[in-house]
Amino acid sequence: MKRLIAPLLIGLVGAAILVALGTWQVQRLTWKQGVLNEIEQVIASDPIPLPRVIAPTEQRYMPVQASGTLNEGALFVLVSIKSRGPGWRVISPLTTDEGRRVLLDRGFVPTDKKSAPLYTGPIEMTGNLLWPDDRNSSTPENDVAGNIWFARDIQQMAETLDTEPLLIVARSLSPADKGMTLLPVDISGIPNDHLQYAITWFSLAGIWLIMTGVWLRRLLKKGD
C-alpha cells in the first residue's frame, strides 16, 4: 500500500489547489458583480451640468447634461453592433452654451450612411462621461486622413477636431438624430469572466481526481 501514498497525495494536493483557484474566482465574481452594480447606479443617476474640473478616475461614467451647438465635422469609428452589423460611431464637436468645445459620441449609423448629411445646430443632450479603452494589441492605427478610426483615442480626436480631450456619450438628444441609433454607456462592454474561470478550475479539479483514481486503480491491479 505504500506505493499508493505518493499518487494519492499528488491527487489530493492537486485537486485542493484547483478547488482553491475555483473558489477564488467565485469570490472575484462576487466582487466584480458588486463593482458592476455600482457602475450601473452611477450611469443611471440624475445628470448634472458638465463639470469644469475633470478627474477621469472619479468621474468615469458620470451622467451629465449640456446644451449648445453641434458643429460641422465628424469622426467615424468603425464598430460592429450585434443584430445591426458593421457601421460607424459618429463623434462630433459640441460647443456648449458656456463656450466649451468637447467631443460628443452621437451614436451609430450603418456603413453605407457615412456620407449622409449630419445635423448641425442647437441641441440639448444628456449623456455620460467616458474615457474608453477601445484599443488592444491587434487594433490598427487610426486612418486620420481617411477618417476611418478603429478606436476612440480621445487625445487624438480632440486634436483633430480642436476640442477639449473630453468625450460625452449621448443618452438622449433633442432634436434627435434622424437615422442614427444612440449607443449609450452601459456595462455590457465590461468583461466579467470569473464564472467561466471558476467552472474551468472546478472542472479541472474533477478531472484531476478522476485521473488520480485511474492511476490508483492501475497500481492496485499491478499489485494483484
Side-chain angles (χ1 to χ4, degrees), residues 11 20 34 53 55 77 107-108 111 115 117 141 161-162 168 178 181-182 199 208 219:
V53 178
V77 185
F108 172 89
T111 305
S115 59
E141 291 300 317
L161 293 178
D162 190 25
I168 305 171
K178 294 181 179 179
T181 303
L182 293 171
I199 292 172
W208 189 280
L219 288 175

Side-chain angles (χ1 to χ4, degrees), residues 58-110:
E58 293 80 9
Q59 296 172 341
R60 188 176 178 89
Y61 310 115
M62 174 182 285
V64 296
Q65 59 187 11
S67 58
T69 302
L70 273 176
N71 305 120
E72 292 185 357
L75 307 179
F76 293 85
V77 185
L78 188 62
V79 294
S80 183
I81 305 300
K82 188 176 181 180
S83 77
R84 295 293 302 273
W88 307 96
R89 277 187 180 271
V90 181
I91 313 294
S92 291
L94 168 69
T95 302
T96 69
D97 290 340
E98 293 76 28
R100 298 175 65 182
R101 188 173 164 94
V102 299
L103 299 166
L104 178 65
D105 186 329
R106 302 169 66 166
F108 172 89
V109 294

Side-chain angles (χ1 to χ4, degrees), residues 28 33 48 93 140 143 180 202:
R28 293 285 293 174
Q33 287 176 332
I48 64 172
D143 178 4
M180 194 173 298
F202 288 137

Side-chain angles (χ1 to χ4, degrees), residues 163-176:
T163 71
E164 295 181 36
L166 181 66
L167 176 68
I168 305 171
V169 180
R171 183 166 294 273
S172 68
L173 295 173
S174 179

Side-chain angles (χ1 to χ4, degrees), residues 30-43 187:
T30 301
W31 166 80
K32 191 59 172 287
Q33 287 176 332
V35 170
L36 293 177
N37 288 338
E38 290 179 3
I39 292 174
E40 277 191 314
Q41 291 176 7
V42 171
I43 291 173
I187 64 170

Side-chain angles (χ1 to χ4, degrees), residues 19 27 31 40 54 92 97 104-106 116 124 153 157 174 183 187 193-194 197 200-202 208:
V19 168
Q27 294 169 346
W31 166 80
E40 277 191 314
I54 300 302
S92 291
D97 290 340
L104 178 65
D105 186 329
R106 302 169 66 166
E124 295 182 357
D153 294 324
M157 288 183 162
S174 179
L183 294 178
I187 64 170
D193 301 322
H194 296 295
Y197 295 154
T200 298
W201 288 122
F202 288 137
W208 189 280

